[in-house]
């Protein structure tokens, strides 16, 4: 079993490995899965050394559920996933969960882009079991597809100029991540392989604040031209509304 004390201590400083998980669901099943997830799959995952960072409704796709899960390192990832998916809670609820899903393999395995770039959460950030009130905020998670592993010039651009532009536009920049180079050590759960990405997580106070930033000219004028030389394709932004028990919110 994982050493929960050391895992929790590391997680409080920001997890060293995270998964960005995007699930395609059957029509009208998203709320069914969210209710089950928030009730059964939060504390039970964290009890075996993982951290449920945030759960979200995708505002642009009514059949997409997005969530983030953190680990102290790759070794604890393998241990924690084995403990949970081989344990009694998943056995009791997996049929109900899987019945809501069309696809759960759209997963990016990531690590903080530089020391201190990861999301840091406190236990008090999450509402208690049974909560139904939605917390404030809109998370914009942007995936930048790269030509190769993130270069220092790109990370400097992200850390300095892009972060400054996001903050000036009203965002709380929660974290920057890049592709985790280690192979997937829990093959039972596939991840996207053979690609390199940079991912930003920026929390806006509300929809209006995010929309104001998205329609402004600063990004296209000051950032997009310089960023384009690192990219193999167009960046994709997810507009995500926190669920009642998401620890990530405004």
């Amino acid at each position: 079993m994982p050493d929960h004390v050391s895992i929790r201590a590391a997680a409080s400083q920001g997890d060293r490995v995270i998964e960005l998980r995007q699930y395609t669901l059957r029509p009208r099943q998203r709320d069914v899965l969210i209710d089950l997830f928030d009730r059964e799959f939060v504390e039970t995952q964290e009890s075996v050394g993982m951290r449920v960072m945030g759960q979200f409704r995708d505002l642009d796709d009514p059949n997409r559920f997005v969530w983030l899960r953190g680990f102290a390192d790759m070794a604890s990832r393998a241990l924690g996933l084995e403990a949970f998916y081989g344990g009694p809670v998943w056995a009791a609820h997996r049929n109900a969960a899987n019945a809501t899903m069309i696809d759960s393999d759209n997963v990016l395995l990531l690590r903080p882009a530089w020391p201190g770039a990861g999301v840091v959460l406190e236990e008090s950030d999450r509402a208690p079991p049974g909560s139904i009130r939605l917390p404030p905020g809109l998370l914009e998670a942007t995936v930048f597809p790269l030509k190769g592993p993130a270069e220092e010039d790109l990370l400097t651009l992200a850390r300095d100029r892009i972060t400054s532009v996001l903050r000036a536009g009203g965002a709380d920049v929660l974290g920057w991540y890049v592709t985790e180079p280690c192979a997937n050590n829990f093959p039972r759960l596939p991840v996207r392989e053979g690609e390199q990405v940079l991912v930003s997580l920026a929390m806006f106070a509300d929809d209006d604040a995010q929309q104001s930033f998205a329609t402004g000219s600063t990004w296209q004028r000051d950032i997009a031209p310089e960023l384009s030389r690192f990219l193999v394709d167009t960046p994709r932004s997810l507009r995500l509304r926190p669920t009642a028990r998401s620890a990530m919110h405004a």
Side-chain angles (χ1 to χ4, degrees):
M1 295 293 290
D3 179 347
H4 301 321
V5 175
S6 63
I7 287 173
R8 297 275 170 75
S12 69
Q13 300 303 315
D15 300 291
R16 298 189 184 100
V17 178
I18 75 165
E19 296 169 345
L20 173 58
R21 310 186 64 87
Q22 301 180 54
Y23 291 177
T24 300
L25 306 180
R26 301 185 187 282
R28 297 176 297 281
Q29 291 300 297
R30 184 165 67 182
D31 286 347
V32 174
L33 178 60
I34 288 172
D35 289 345
L36 176 63
F37 193 107
D38 280 5
R39 184 178 68 249
E40 303 291 350
F41 296 155
V42 177
E43 284 78 8
T44 52
Q45 290 190 77
E46 296 194 338
S47 71
V48 293
M50 302 180 286
R51 179 173 292 266
V52 178
M53 301 168 63
Q55 308 95 267
F56 304 92
R57 293 173 171 89
D58 187 328
L59 294 186
D60 299 307
D61 186 343
N63 299 320
R64 182 178 289 119
F65 171 64
V66 179
W67 65 292
L68 295 104
R69 174 165 56 190
F71 312 87
D73 50 37
M74 288 296 289
S76 69
R77 175 179 183 266
L79 290 170
L81 293 176
E82 180 60 43
F84 180 74
Y85 290 102
V89 174
W90 181 244
H93 299 290
R94 65 187 174 193
N95 289 342
N98 289 334
T100 68
M101 302 178 194
I102 295 173
D103 176 71
S104 61
D105 293 349
N106 186 354
V107 180
L108 289 170
L109 190 59
L110 307 168
R111 61 176 174 83
W114 56 82
V119 174
V120 176
L121 298 170
E122 301 295 336
E123 189 173 346
S124 60
D125 291 336
R126 180 187 297 124
S131 299
I132 60 173
R133 185 182 67 84
L134 296 180
L138 185 150
L139 180 71
E140 184 178 73
T142 303
V143 179
F144 302 91
L146 305 180
K147 294 177 180 177
E151 305 173 10
E152 188 57 39
D153 285 355
L154 173 60
L155 298 184
T156 298
L157 177 65
R159 184 171 53 242
D160 298 337
R161 294 188 59 205
I162 300 180
T163 294
S164 294
V165 166
L166 285 165
R167 287 174 175 164
D172 180 7
V173 182
L174 301 181
W176 284 98
Y177 292 88
V178 294
T179 301
E180 166 57 52
C182 293
N184 180 15
N185 60 355
F186 194 75
R188 179 176 166 186
L189 296 183
V191 302
R192 286 160 55 178
E193 298 180 316
E195 57 185 294
Q196 296 288 331
V197 299
L198 173 71
V199 176
S200 66
L201 301 176
M203 185 69 70
F204 289 86
D206 52 34
D207 296 18
D208 290 343
Q210 188 276 332
Q211 186 64 21
S212 177
F213 175 80
T215 56
S217 62
T218 303
W219 183 274
Q220 290 300 324
R221 183 186 67 239
D222 297 343
I223 299 299
E226 189 167 354
L227 186 61
S228 64
R229 63 189 176 99
F230 300 102
L231 303 181
V232 71
D233 204 348
T234 304
R236 180 166 179 245
S237 291
L238 303 172
R239 298 190 311 129
L240 305 175
R241 173 90 70 226
T243 72
R245 299 204 63 215
S246 176
M248 294 175 65
H249 53 77

